[in-house]
Amino acid sequence: MSIYLPSRLRRLVPLALLPLLLAGCNDAADTEPTAPPPHVRVETVQVQALAISTELSGRLLAPRTAEVRARVAGVVLKRMYREGSDVKQGAVLFLIDPAPFKADHDSARAALAKAEATQYQARLQEQRYRQLVDDKAVSRQEYDNARAAFLQADAEVASAKAALERSRLNLGYATVTAPISGRIGRALVTEGALVGQNESTPLAIIQQLDPIHADVSQSTRELNALRRALRAGELSQVGDGQAKATLIEDDGSAYPLAGKLLFSDISVDPSTNQITLRSEFPNPDLDLLPGSYVRVRLEQAVQPKGISVPQRAILRDSAGVPKVLVVDAQTRISERQVVLGNAQGDRWIVSEGLVPGERVVVEGLQHVKAGDQVRVDTGALPIVQHNGQ
């Protein structure tokens, strides 16, 4: 059933309902829920002993390298080793035609026998003349001549012995042996090559690879700063006084066997103002090869009261200045500029800007800013969805 209203009353009805509609809108606005504070995870700053490490670049070197050379002239008859294999000291590597050296040796031995015969005759004559000169049977001059001939024969024997020894050495040099133990590379000559003609021809190269050396360079500025900190007591020596070394391979992984720093060079390269440091690493499987580019992390000192934060906690402004987000007692965010030292694994050493007990945001940084109220979460952070996803 419809109710008839005059036209004047029909115009007044919407005006009467307007306050009720506005009241309903205000109630809806008052009941709209507020967004919860963002979740973050923090790490409490603690003081602990930190190793001061420096990562330096350089190359691997063999501790001992021997160039095998021909010491006599001749034709190479045979190569006696397998290229790329390990050889022991004294192992036969090459055979040079020994025929001419054997002939020289036989000739020198015959010359020695002749000289010894002459010496024998001169000795007997000198002994006879010695008896006769006492009896005045021969003159003193004749005895002196016999004595001189005997001494000359002695000298010729000594010379013949030296020539025989030289020929024996040359005969031995025709068999080329390894001067050191190690891994030998490719042959630099082939069978039939004439070697040692007016020069000592290189035949092969032997390198000792276990252990292996890594030579790296460090600027004198960094080294002097480290020494001043040690003298001032800000840093202390590592446990045994010898810096520990970790080798970083070309793929960024750490070599599993630890090394040690052997020495620092005593001279500075004038062109780079850097000094060379040599470390040593075990190489039982010969995975490390000379000439390879590597990085070496040296633990050169210990900071007794050090502060570090995870690398993911560091933010940088447009000028590249590092900063962190700190949560105060009222769970509000504030920015703090910091001074970073060296990196230690996945953490940065903080020299200035933080004190023990402060809470640094390590997760959830992308969702908060200075002044925000946050909720500190000890577990995994909830997944934050954006753009309706």
Side-chain angles (χ1 to χ4, degrees):
M1 181 183 64
S2 60
I3 300 176
Y4 172 77
L5 292 176
S7 61
R8 183 172 60 85
L9 292 177
R10 288 199 299 268
R11 289 194 299 267
L12 294 177
V13 170
L15 295 177
L17 295 177
L18 182 61
L20 298 176
L21 296 175
L22 293 177
C25 292
N26 290 336
D27 292 341
D30 292 340
T31 59
E32 183 178 350
T34 59
H39 294 245
V40 295
R41 292 190 67 181
V42 299
E43 180 179 298
T44 303
V45 176
Q46 297 179 349
V47 174
Q48 57 184 341
L50 299 176
I52 304 301
S53 60
T54 306
E55 195 167 296
L56 306 171
S57 59
R59 293 195 179 275
L60 296 175
L61 297 173
R64 299 178 67 190
T65 301
E67 285 190 350
V68 181
R69 292 179 175 267
R71 305 176 69 175
V72 292
V75 176
V76 176
L77 294 181
K78 190 175 182 181
R79 172 170 57 85
M80 304 296 294
Y81 72 94
R82 181 171 56 86
E83 293 175 311
S85 63
D86 293 326
V87 295
K88 298 294 185 181
Q89 183 178 3
V92 178
L93 304 179
F94 293 91
L95 293 180
I96 298 175
D97 186 5
F101 308 110
K102 187 175 186 307
D104 291 342
H105 182 266
D106 293 341
S107 176
R109 188 164 52 187
L112 175 60
K114 180 179 178 181
E116 288 176 341
T118 303
Q119 179 195 43
Y120 175 74
Q121 181 182 10
R123 181 189 301 113
L124 292 179
Q125 187 172 4
E126 188 271 340
Q127 291 174 354
R128 293 194 205 95
Y129 276 34
R130 186 189 308 164
Q131 296 174 357
L132 293 175
V133 74
D134 294 337
D135 297 337
K136 306 297 183 179
V138 296
S139 65
R140 186 72 186 180
Q141 182 62 50
E142 290 176 322
Y143 171 72
D144 290 342
N145 292 339
R147 176 68 180 172
F150 171 64
L151 294 177
Q152 184 176 359
D154 271 349
E156 290 177 352
V157 169
S159 178
K161 287 182 178 179
L164 178 62
E165 179 63 19
R166 186 182 304 109
S167 66
R168 186 189 66 81
L169 289 175
N170 288 337
L171 180 59
Y173 291 154
T175 302
V176 182
T177 58
I180 62 173
S181 299
R183 175 156 292 188
I184 190 168
R186 62 183 178 86
L188 303 180
V189 296
T190 60
E191 290 83 349
L194 178 62
V195 297
Q197 194 71 24
N198 300 324
E199 62 179 4
S200 55
T201 308
L203 305 179
I205 296 178
I206 301 175
Q207 294 179 316
Q208 287 188 351
L209 303 179
D210 184 26
I212 197 167
H213 290 166
D215 282 4
V216 296
S217 299
Q218 185 175 25
S219 68
T220 54
R221 179 182 59 83
E222 294 178 356
L223 198 59
N224 291 334
L226 178 64
R227 290 170 176 168
R228 286 193 295 267
L230 288 171
R231 294 190 184 105
E234 300 173 3
L235 303 176
S236 60
Q237 293 279 1
V238 292
D240 55 0
Q242 188 177 43
K244 298 179 181 179
T246 302
L247 188 143
I248 309 300
E249 299 187 77
D250 52 3
D251 60 353
S253 61
Y255 185 64
L257 301 178
K260 58 183 178 180
L261 179 66
L262 294 182
F263 65 87
S264 300
D265 206 348
I266 59 176
S267 59
V268 178
D269 187 345
S271 61
T272 61
N273 201 34
Q274 292 185 330
I275 193 169
T276 299
L277 292 82
R278 172 166 291 178
S279 51
E280 183 181 82
F281 294 90
N283 191 23
D285 298 327
L286 306 183
D287 294 330
L288 305 178
L289 299 178
S292 300
Y293 175 82
V294 294
R295 288 172 292 148
V296 176
R297 184 183 301 123
L298 295 175
E299 296 181 8
Q300 296 175 292
V302 175
Q303 188 173 0
K305 297 180 179 180
I307 292 176
S308 68
V309 297
Q311 291 187 1
R312 64 180 184 274
I314 300 297
L315 301 174
R316 294 185 185 271
D317 58 18
S318 58
V321 177
K323 59 183 180 179
V324 296
L325 299 182
V326 178
V327 179
D328 59 17
Q330 288 75 36
T331 65
R332 287 194 177 275
I333 296 291
S334 62
E335 287 186 356
R336 185 78 56 79
Q337 289 189 1
V338 293
V339 177
L340 301 180
N342 296 324
Q344 187 184 51
D346 61 348
R347 303 179 69 85
W348 280 110
I349 296 177
V350 179
S351 304
E352 298 177 13
L354 292 176
V355 296
E358 291 186 314
R359 296 183 296 175
V360 176
V361 179
V362 296
E363 289 187 21
L365 293 86
Q366 66 273 26
H367 307 306
V368 297
K369 62 182 183 300
D372 286 353
Q373 189 85 28
V374 296
R375 175 180 175 181
V376 177
D377 202 324
T378 58
L381 295 184
I383 299 176
V384 179
Q385 297 183 347
H386 298 280
N387 300 328
Q389 299 179 353

